[in-house]
Amino acid sequence: MNKTWIVARREYLYNLKRPAFLFAVFGVPLFTFVMWVVIFAVTASNEESLDSFTQVGYIDSAGVLQNGILPETAPDITPPELIAFESEEAARTALDNREIGVYFLISADYMSSGQVSTYSYSGVPRALRSYIQSLLLANISRQTPGDLPLERIENPVNMSIHVADSGRNLTEANIPALILMPLVFAMIFMMASGVTSGFLMSGVVEEKTNRIMEILVTSITPMQMLLGKVIGLGLLGLTQILVWGVAIVVLLNVGQTLPLLQGIAVPVDLMIVFVVYFILSYFLLSGLMAGIGAVVGSEQESRQWSSIISLLWVLPFFFITSFLSDPNGALPVALTLIPFTAPTTALLRLGFTAVPLWQIALSLAILLLTTIFTVWASARVFHWALLRYGKRVSVRELLRVIRQPPEAEISLAQSAQEGAR
Amino acid sequence: MQPETAIRVERISKTYGDFRAVNDLSFEVYRGEIFAMLGPNGSGKTTTMRMILDILKPDTGKIEVLGGALTDATKDKIGYLPEERGLYRSVRVLEMMEYLATLKGLSSGEARKRSQAMLERLDLAEHAKKKVSELSKGMQQKIQFAVTVLHDPELIIIDEPFSGLDPVNTLALKDLVMEFRAKGGTVVMSTHQMWQVEEMADRLLMIHKGEQQLYGPVEDIRKRYALHAIIVEGQGNWAALPGVERIETLENGRKGTLLYLESQTTTDDILAAIATTRNISIERFELAVPSLNDIFIRVVEEHGQ
């Protein structure tokens, strides 16, 4: 078997069994699932809680409910019994005596201010709030001229947005889905590449500090080692994505009953772009991590670097509002072209808008070139730094190493140490 | 007959910045021998080993290993035990041995079989599933050596193999090295423990400040540094013997008396004189060959620390 594959296989199998990986792969979906169930349960109990407010009191200071019109309600909802009170004191006494669960006060200047206050011991469920709203609407609409349908007064615009040449139609129902999907994709990307490239870096640091590197480099070339690690851990990242992909499909099916998730479909074009960006950007990230891992002296230092680098990938999330308001503005376009921020930015923008093809092409081309350069330069630094211990490396030194053909170097600090012993 | 060469080093030099680690060093290692590299700390032993293994490139000079420049294929025929031991600490023993052996070109089935056999051989079979960090230092060192020879190399390069080992483990490791050589393997080893070299090595190279000081068969070197003196044990007035310049009683727990001979006197003359002198009973008579330790100290002192 080719030695690169031996390394790849080992990195894959070894890290697959690590608790940190297992937690990331199974813990995160599990956690999400539990949250789902909790949200589900809470929402459900909120719906039901209208039953606990069978008697609702009111004080109608504005006289808008004089006609006694009741709104239409869905067949599965039992409308509460409405009890009129003359004064707030009377209603309050009834509430204190638990004769009613809640009362609401329509203020005298309601027609101009719209002021309605509710009083209860346990908060007011949404179902009841919307019932009160419908009740008032039904009654005041009688006072307006003409024959306006209540629905249009309540919800005058139901907008659907057609973005030319993206082929994606946004309706109010699926807007959350379109914002959510790229977010989820970007998050998955972040976590998968973050976890695996983190493993890569800590692996290199471990082999260096344990001095096992010296045995490894007498068995395989640094390039074989680097490639093996990158491939093995890349497959690990894809495994993670696969598991999450399955989890997402399952969650979506389970969650179909939640209004927020209805109508979410995973857009195929987004998936393809996602995979291409993932692969390129993963190589970029792991190239960087391997190079840094070989240069820095300790696990602790490597973690600091890894979080700084990860920050570059998360950066676009901070500008998400500006992406939403103007997805083709200067900032989103710039971040699409910068290789480090490109994957997340492109995914977010593709969800919201039609990104011109040339931008995607240019972004991928820049990313590809940067990735090739980084992996190549990293391999040189990697080779050079393998046997350097405990000495800080300057940027100038790194540039010199990248320009020169690769050779391992033993730090002077170490030689001096040997001499002193 | 000229022995077959396993390693040929020709005039190599290596400089780190202003520090000249190895200076114009040449030597050969023959197949099937135990070749010792001696020298104080920082003398360039490890650097030389690393250059042989192609971890470092010499600034100038040429190195041939097993018949040519080091290639990926030759690397599979070499085992290396670095001075600073390297093992995966949080990996299970058997798993780690297998991995490192497959990197040396063994199939994973073969690697597993040999690793298990080796663990049996080292009485470590019960620890196969343990993590390396759970083992004692001696056990770890044995495992480390096992990793070095697991792929059946033709040549092993072992840097300070005995450092930090207790006597029992030192003996166990020494047996393993001797066994490896008995099967025809070539050994290059560096050590501080001179008696190891005296007991084990066929030839040696002593370097100091990156330069060759002594080089050749161990016995030749010891004889070359032999004093013109003999060691005797027994009863009698040694100083009165003809041809004896002065005498010295051995110290530091060593028994006997050291007889320094006049320059024209041979050891045969003294033996003859003892035989013919009355009131002398002799229990021991031997050439005063210095230990390598003495030679080592003398060489280092002569060249200034």
Side-chain angles (χ1 to χ4, degrees), chain B residues 114-125 142 172 175-177 179-180 183:
Chain B
R114 286 201 205 175
S115 303
Q116 275 165 340
M118 182 63 92
L119 286 173
E120 295 277 343
R121 161 88 178 70
L122 296 174
D123 290 330
L124 293 172
K142 279 197 233 171
D175 286 347
L176 287 170
V177 176
E179 187 186 302
F180 174 78
K183 286 192 285 184

Side-chain angles (χ1 to χ4, degrees), chain B residues 1 19 24 46 57 65 72 74 86 90 99-100 114 117 136 150 170 206 225 233 235 239 244 260 274-275 281 302 305:
Chain B
M1 194 187 75
F19 178 72
D24 199 21
T46 300
K57 300 242 185 296
V65 183
D72 287 351
T74 355
S90 54
Y99 173 55
L100 293 174
R114 286 201 205 175
S136 73
L150 210 49
T170 302
M206 185 188 287
Y225 275 79
E233 256 183 89
Q235 307 296 321
V244 172
Y260 287 93
I274 290 172
S281 68
E302 273 167 24
Q305 252 299 15

Side-chain angles (χ1 to χ4, degrees), chain A residues 3 6-7 10 14 207 210-212 214-219 387 407-408 410 412 415 418 421, chain B residues 14 16 41 50 55-57 75-76 80 82 84-91 99 102-104 144:
Chain A
K3 286 181 179 177
I6 297 176
V7 177
R10 191 261 174 186
Y14 172 68
E207 283 167 347
N210 269 351
R211 306 294 200 258
I212 200 160
E214 293 194 36
I215 297 177
L216 295 178
V217 293
T218 57
S219 308
L387 299 176
E407 200 219 325
I410 309 249
L412 273 176
S415 308
E418 273 178 9
R421 260 192 314 206
Chain B
K14 180 78 188 175
Y16 304 128
N41 285 317
R50 281 172 169 162
I55 298 173
L56 293 172
K57 300 242 185 296
K75 279 185 182 176
D76 288 349
Y80 175 44
E84 309 227 27
R85 309 285 178 254
L87 293 173
Y88 289 102
R89 301 192 53 75
S90 54
V91 179
Y99 173 55
T102 51
L103 284 182
K104 284 289 190 184
Q144 183 98 45

Side-chain angles (χ1 to χ4, degrees), chain A residues 181-200:
Chain A
M181 275 330 279
L183 268 177
V184 169
F185 273 2
M187 291 293 289
I188 289 179
F189 169 78
M190 281 298 310
M191 296 186 75
S193 58
V195 167
T196 52
S197 62
F199 282 172
L200 177 68

Side-chain angles (χ1 to χ4, degrees), chain B residues 26-172:
Chain B
S26 300
F27 62 92
E28 274 179 85
V29 176
Y30 302 139
R31 279 196 193 251
E33 74 173 351
I34 295 184
F35 184 82
M37 283 172 67
L38 304 173
N41 285 317
S43 59
K45 301 186 299 279
T46 300
T47 300
T48 306
M49 285 183 165
R50 281 172 169 162
M51 285 192 281
I52 294 171
L53 289 160
D54 199 34
I55 298 173
L56 293 172
K57 300 242 185 296
D59 298 335
T60 56
K62 206 176 100 183
I63 299 173
E64 279 179 19
V65 183
L66 300 175
L70 199 65
T71 62
D72 287 351
T74 355
K75 279 185 182 176
D76 288 349
K77 298 179 192 164
I78 302 176
Y80 175 44
L81 179 88
E83 182 185 5
E84 309 227 27
R85 309 285 178 254
L87 293 173
Y88 289 102
R89 301 192 53 75
S90 54
V91 179
R92 298 185 196 291
V93 172
L94 188 63
E95 204 177 307
M96 184 199 63
M97 290 173 74
E98 263 178 67
Y99 173 55
L100 293 174
T102 51
L103 284 182
K104 284 289 190 184
L106 291 189
S107 71
S108 43
E110 184 66 21
R112 168 169 286 255
K113 220 169 70 190
R114 286 201 205 175
S115 303
Q116 275 165 340
M118 182 63 92
L119 286 173
E120 295 277 343
R121 161 88 178 70
L122 296 174
D123 290 330
L124 293 172
E126 64 199 280
H127 303 291
K129 301 263 181 227
K130 282 191 186 165
K131 287 183 177 174
V132 173
S133 55
E134 293 167 34
L135 302 186
S136 73
K137 200 179 169 202
M139 289 181 193
Q140 288 189 23
Q141 206 131 327
K142 279 197 233 171
I143 303 262
Q144 183 98 45
F145 185 81
V147 166
T148 314
V149 294
L150 210 49
H151 56 290
D152 232 346
E154 292 175 22
L155 164 70
I156 57 173
I157 296 180
I158 50 183
D159 201 352
E160 299 284 352
F162 304 107
S163 74
L165 279 186
D166 62 42
V168 176
N169 281 311
T170 302
L171 199 64

